[in-house]
């Protein structure tokens, strides 16, 4: 084989090796970038703040909180930042443990509104039922405006009403009773506010006075949120 033949073979081998090295370097850099992006995603993604509100539909303090601070926070933060769980029961009592025989602090109309909202909460997502509940709580008599508020929220009122007249609805009410009864410490008033599964007296007070500031304090990466800057 001629000298030119050896030289050509060597050049091809060198070129191929050079391409292989460049390919390995490129793939390594891509891998590093992907790892960095994945790590950054996990660093910046935080768990939502979970607020659980135990309330009565006719309680003036519950109504004030729902149509005030809770509503402002709902409109300020997306659900991946703030998760709102509502429990309409409060100081109600199921006599002899019978969901169909319930006594409420503010009378039978409150029991009816509590049951209606329990059905609504279980049958619709938060983005739907929270505005409807706020609409109801804005009125002096929530039960009287249930149909108006439900239809305004584009939900079939008759479906929710049928739920309240069924064993399914009583089951939802009983679940609210069990959740309220399991509170530790037990609630001493409403609205009773739990943040991230724990009761804190100061947090409860702050939630009723300036909930947006409280959520900014509790959310892990609040500096990224416009509402917290």
């Amino acid at each position: 084989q001629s000298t030119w033949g050896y030289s050509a073979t060597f050049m091809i081998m060198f070129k191929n090796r050079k391409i292989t090295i460049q390919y390995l370097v490129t793939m390594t850099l891509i891998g590093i970038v992907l790892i960095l992006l994945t790590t950054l995603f996990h660093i910046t993604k935080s768990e939502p703040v979970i607020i659980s509100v135990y309330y009565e539909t006719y309680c003036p303090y519950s109504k004030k909180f729902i149509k005030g601070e809770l509503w402002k926070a709902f409109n300020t933060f997306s659900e991946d930042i703030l998760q709102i769980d509502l429990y309409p029961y409060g100081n109600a009592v199921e006599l002899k443990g019978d969901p169909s025989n319930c006594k409420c602090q503010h009378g039978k109309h409150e029991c009816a509104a509590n049951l209606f909202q329990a059905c609504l909460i279980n049958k619709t997502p938060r983005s739907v039922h929270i505005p409807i509940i706020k609409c109801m709580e804005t009125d002096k008599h929530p039960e009287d405006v249930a149909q108006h508020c439900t239809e305004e929220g584009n939900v079939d009122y008759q479906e929710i009403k049928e739920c309240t007249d069924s064993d399914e609805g009583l089951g939802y009410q009983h679940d609210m009773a069990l959740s309220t009864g399991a509170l530790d410490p037990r609630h001493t008033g409403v609205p009773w506010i739990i943040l991230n599964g724990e009761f804190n007296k100061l947090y409860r007070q702050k939630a009723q006075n300036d909930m947006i500031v409280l959520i900014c304090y509790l959310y892990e990466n609040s500096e990224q949120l416009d509402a917290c800057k």
Side-chain angles (χ1 to χ4, degrees):
Q1 188 173 13
S2 66
T3 303
W4 168 250
Y6 283 118
S7 299
T9 301
F10 176 79
M11 289 299 292
I12 292 172
M13 291 175 61
F14 178 79
K15 184 177 181 181
N16 288 341
R17 186 180 179 187
K18 185 177 181 181
I19 291 173
T20 302
I21 293 173
Q22 288 178 338
Y23 175 80
L24 290 174
V25 170
T26 300
M27 293 307 294
T28 300
L29 290 174
I30 291 174
I32 292 172
V33 170
L34 289 175
I35 291 172
L36 290 174
L37 289 174
T38 302
T39 303
L40 182 62
F41 175 79
H42 285 295
I43 291 174
T44 56
K45 183 175 175 59
S46 300
E47 293 298 316
V49 176
I50 302 175
I51 180 169
S52 304
V53 183
Y54 297 79
Y55 68 102
E56 297 169 344
T57 52
Y58 275 64
C59 167
Y61 303 107
S62 296
K63 291 162 67 68
K64 179 182 178 182
F65 175 66
I66 291 172
K67 66 184 181 182
E69 291 303 314
L70 189 71
W71 181 243
K72 285 193 292 184
F74 172 78
N75 284 298
T76 300
F77 302 109
S78 59
E79 197 169 329
D80 61 338
I81 296 170
L82 175 63
Q83 177 181 311
I84 300 172
D85 295 330
L86 300 177
Y87 298 86
Y89 190 78
N91 296 314
V93 177
E94 291 180 341
L95 300 178
K96 297 182 180 181
D98 180 5
S100 66
N101 190 7
C102 192
K103 183 178 180 180
C104 296
Q105 184 173 357
H106 299 92
K108 64 179 183 180
H109 295 293
E110 179 173 79
C111 280
N114 286 351
L115 178 56
F116 186 89
Q117 291 187 11
C119 282
L120 183 68
I121 289 165
N122 279 276
K123 286 186 169 294
T124 61
R126 294 180 183 89
S127 59
V128 173
H129 66 244
I130 290 176
I132 295 174
I133 289 173
K134 182 264 181 182
C135 174
M136 291 177 65
E137 296 306 312
T138 301
D139 195 89
K140 185 177 181 180
H141 301 289
E143 184 192 16
D144 293 347
V145 295
Q147 181 171 357
H148 162 74
C149 293
T150 304
E151 292 175 349
E152 191 175 72
N154 296 314
V155 172
D156 184 354
Y157 169 77
Q158 195 58 40
E159 179 185 353
I160 306 301
K161 187 67 175 66
E162 288 175 0
C163 171
T164 67
D165 297 327
S166 68
D167 290 338
E168 179 187 20
L170 292 179
Y172 294 146
Q173 175 184 273
H174 186 60
D175 290 342
M176 298 297 181
L178 292 177
S179 296
T180 303
L183 287 170
D184 184 18
R186 296 185 66 83
H187 75 284
T188 56
V190 289
W192 194 254
I193 302 167
I194 305 293
L195 275 303
N196 292 332
E198 297 183 3
F199 175 75
N200 182 298
K201 184 177 180 180
L202 293 178
Y203 288 174
R204 182 192 178 205
Q205 293 174 345
K206 189 63 177 177
Q208 294 179 83
N209 295 324
D210 197 336
M211 189 169 159
I212 291 176
V213 169
L214 178 62
I215 300 307
C216 289
Y217 174 75
L218 294 174
Y219 187 69
E220 186 177 353
N221 290 302
S222 60
E223 69 278 358
Q224 300 175 4
L225 307 177
D226 290 338
C228 300
K229 292 179 181 178

